[in-house]
Amino acid sequence: KAGVTQTPRYLIKTRGQQVTLSCSPISGHRSVSWYQQTPGQGLQFLFEYFSETQRNKGNFPGRFSGRQFSNSRSEMNVSTLELGDSALYLCASSQQGNTEAFFGQGTRLTVV
Amino acid sequence: AQRVTQPEKLLSVFKGAPVELKCNYSYSGSPELFWYVQYSRQRLQLLLRHISRESIKGFTADLNKGETSFHLKKPFAQEEDSAMYYCALSGLDSGGSNYKLTFGKGTLLTVNP
């Protein structure tokens, strides 16, 4: 069974630009969650989607948004990028959201 | 609200020494607790969950509801145990209708030769 796939693996963007990250969950998983990982703050929850609906949201500004498609693939968008948005963005999928989460390898975003 | 606290950001031990990574949680109901591990250049993965009560790679963790803790222990640390460890809790969100997985900030374990 293929694992969680995130694309692209690396991104370099300029302040003020926007970026879209993609996540393909494990087949059959309906829950997709996004996390921001930084050395200082650890793993911070962004949001969770289940069957195309946002079920939970973390404490991030409205510049961070996401969506989920009918095939459970998910995208995350960050607008008006700031230097502080530089981080590893992780996507995790699970069957129901409360069961074991399977993580992708992440997208390393660098904002310059 | 549910919360997971890992009080140590960094933990350094010598090979062969016992290791304990602390995790405390706050949750009003019956939680399901997990430990996740991230080795260098690898993806975050599940190490163990409290309901399975098993030992993985020599690690065990016992849920102590009285102390609201789920500490991860290993009697003899190995160099290959060096990694980032995250404690996580699954419980109903504040609305009471959806489950939510909450992670602690992680502990970086270094096992020195």
Side-chain angles (χ1 to χ4, degrees):
Chain A
K1 180 153 73 166
V4 178
T5 304
Q6 290 187 246
T7 56
R9 291 289 311 278
Y10 303 92
L11 267 177
I12 300 176
K13 290 286 188 179
T14 307
R15 268 185 305 175
Q17 287 187 311
Q18 75 165 17
V19 67
T20 299
L21 313 182
S22 180
C23 172
S24 293
I26 291 173
S27 177
H29 285 190
R30 296 164 65 188
S31 170
V32 174
S33 297
W34 288 89
Y35 298 86
Q36 183 193 65
Q37 187 180 35
T38 58
Q41 296 298 318
L43 206 58
Q44 291 190 284
F45 172 74
L46 281 153
F47 28 66
E48 185 222 355
Y49 286 88
F50 185 87
S51 293
E52 301 179 67
T53 301
Q54 187 181 86
R55 276 204 310 198
N56 282 299
K57 190 176 189 306
N59 295 323
F60 277 81
R63 300 185 296 108
F64 291 81
S65 63
R67 58 178 175 169
Q68 187 180 33
F69 302 96
S70 58
N71 62 358
S72 292
R73 190 177 70 84
S74 177
E75 287 183 347
M76 190 191 96
N77 185 276
V78 188
S79 62
T80 320
L81 284 165
E82 300 177 359
L83 295 178
D85 296 334
S86 295
L88 181 67
Y89 289 88
L90 295 174
C91 164
S93 78
S94 66
Q95 289 183 326
Q96 295 290 335
N98 62 323
T99 52
E100 178 183 351
F102 292 83
F103 283 82
Q105 290 190 291
T107 294
R108 172 76 61 186
L109 172 65
T110 302
V111 183
V112 297
Chain B
Q2 55 196 36
R3 184 175 298 166
V4 176
T5 304
Q6 293 179 251
E8 304 140 326
K9 286 189 75 170
L10 302 169
L11 183 61
S12 182
V13 301
F14 285 101
K15 177 183 172 182
V19 63
E20 180 179 66
L21 291 91
K22 291 183 167 47
C23 172
N24 290 92
Y25 67 90
S26 172
Y27 181 66
S28 55
S30 289
E32 185 170 358
L33 286 144
F34 307 83
W35 275 100
Y36 281 79
V37 61
Q38 188 174 31
Y39 301 103
S40 179
R41 301 183 191 280
Q42 293 187 28
R43 62 183 71 195
L44 195 59
Q45 59 189 289
L46 179 69
L47 179 63
L48 54 80
R49 54 171 63 180
H50 90 270
I51 58 171
S52 51
R53 303 180 70 83
E54 55 190 346
S55 173
I56 305 291
K57 299 185 178 183
F59 283 98
T60 59
D62 291 318
L63 176 60
N64 186 323
K65 290 188 178 180
E67 296 183 358
T68 59
S69 68
F70 188 56
H71 303 328
L72 183 68
K73 301 177 185 178
K74 185 169 182 177
F76 308 103
Q78 302 300 314
E79 290 179 67
E80 54 266 30
D81 296 328
S82 296
M84 178 70 85
Y85 291 82
Y86 291 94
C87 181
L89 179 154
S90 175
L92 286 169
D93 63 13
S94 54
S97 56
N98 297 317
Y99 279 93
K100 182 179 172 182
L101 189 59
T102 301
F103 284 85
K105 291 192 181 296
T107 298
L108 180 62
L109 173 66
T110 302
V111 181
N112 301 298

